[in-house]
Amino acid sequence: MIDTVLSATRPLRARRAGIDTYQQPVVYLRGDCPVCRAEGFQSQAQVEVIGNGRHVLALLHQVQGDWLRHDEIAFSEAAWSLLGAADGAEVDVRHPPVQDSLAPLRAKVHGTRFDYTALRLLMEDVSHGRLSDIHLASLVTVCAGGGLDFDETVALTRAMVDVGERIDWGVSPVMDKHCIGGLPGNRTTLLVVPIVAACGVLMPKTSSRAITSAAGTADAMETLAPVDLDLATMRRVVEREGGCIAWGGTTRISPADDMLIRVERPLSLDSEGLLVASILSKKVAAGSQRVLIDLPVGPLTKVRSAAAAEQLSRSLVAVGAALGIQVRVQRTDGTQPVGRGIGPALEAMDVMAVLERQPDAPADLRERALQIAAGVLEMAGRSAAGAGEALAREVLADGRALAKFAAIREAQGGARQPPRAAHTQPVTAPAAGTVRAIDTRLVARAAKLAGAPRDPAAGATMHVRLGDRVELGQPLYTLHAESAGALQYALSFVRSQLPLVRIGQDGGRSPAP
């Protein structure tokens, strides 16, 4: 017995497992190792790993194979990054301290309202990975379906800001824009930022990568320039060029939000309070002072009705005011994809076509970006009310926006050329008629099955829009993939579904699937 206890106190050797567990820190121990026997650790237990001067809380998975020795502990990529040690470094493993934040979470389940103190405790533990996915799922669940009132939403937003880094740019105004999402190809940020920055208005933009979509803003920008900017580099780029388009994951700007999103998306729970807190906490933390929100409304977007759009708009504006920032919501059409490309490189090509004023550049992407840029310029006081669109159009037309975008790309690490997929396949019209509907969700899913955003060149290119007249056999969209297998996988999905693009025949009839 004495030997077993002593062996459990001896350090273990750290080993990098090379397993991607996304943002969930996971460690691996042999089930029959002395530590597991002495401490009574079971799979799915949370443990604290101490090494390299750091304390890492991680989920334990037990292994039975011989690939791991009794004196070793293996780390997932997320856990390895948090530890910051080298292979073979000595670490200690023990039971984690009791989390005080779980008490207010349990109280909320039984009907007690959150206050700032409780939410600050929770967000502190969330941001440092101290809560298991089960506890995070519980938090998301109690916040869903109207679980947060206005005061709780304000408190949550403030708490999410306070547990992370906060940027002060030292000037005013600092502008930003955000899209609620859910609409393929809506890559206006890459156009709005250079237009606004070319007008002398500060616009540092931190953006996300795709989680459930075929491309995020950071994914598309990454095919044109580096986006993994640390805070010092981001500040240098913005001070030099007046704007940037960077991935927010390299900073600790509202880190609790990233952790919550990881469990919120798979649950598919509708939570206005969490959505508002997620958006505005990152804007406040990034130093934004005035924010324009692009809110697409359509039958398959996140916001599907005028009533829901009105409710969300009121909440965004009110919570923003409580946090000291000005928010304006601009509703846009969400009935069909924007531009032609769906996927990182394909969307980036659309952006460059607009900036370069190519004759065949997607007009809908251009006009949508000009409207949003107009709103930002008017909010910034750079133009009078109603005059922002004319200014934005002039900056795009005379090449200043293109020049500014080139300068931003160079400042962020140098320009890149978007890759092109090795394999393509058009999907054609089954009959002549008029395009009556485009299922934006199925189109995005087909692009993802083709490999986007994992393969930057993969995705889909739309050839038609609502109301277009098409002939039998005319291409409706083209799938792009890096491998023949991925292309066939996406095509199999397309053939198993109702038509992604629905054609109405003469008299308004639609052909059979």
Side-chain angles (χ1 to χ4, degrees), residues 72-103:
E72 290 181 324
I73 178 172
F75 290 75
S76 72
E77 290 297 284
W80 189 256
S81 176
L82 291 172
L83 183 68
D87 266 317
E90 292 187 342
V91 299
D92 292 306
V93 184
R94 68 185 185 188
H95 288 280
V98 176
Q99 303 303 324
D100 294 336
S101 63
L102 294 180

Side-chain angles (χ1 to χ4, degrees), residues 184 212-215 337 341-344 346-347 421 423-427 438-455 457-462 476-501:
T212 60
S213 64
I342 301 170
L346 297 169
E347 294 179 25
H423 301 270
T424 61
Q425 177 66 52
V427 177
I438 301 175
D439 192 314
T440 55
R441 288 194 171 186
L442 290 181
V443 167
R445 188 174 177 190
K448 289 173 62 181
L449 293 176
R454 180 188 65 256
D455 298 327
T461 300
M462 301 300 303
L476 301 175
Y477 55 94
T478 296
L479 294 174
H480 300 245
E482 282 297 285
S483 69
L487 181 61
Q488 290 305 314
Y489 187 39
L491 285 169
S492 296
F493 168 76
V494 167
R495 292 164 183 155
S496 69
Q497 303 296 313
L498 292 173
L500 278 60
V501 177

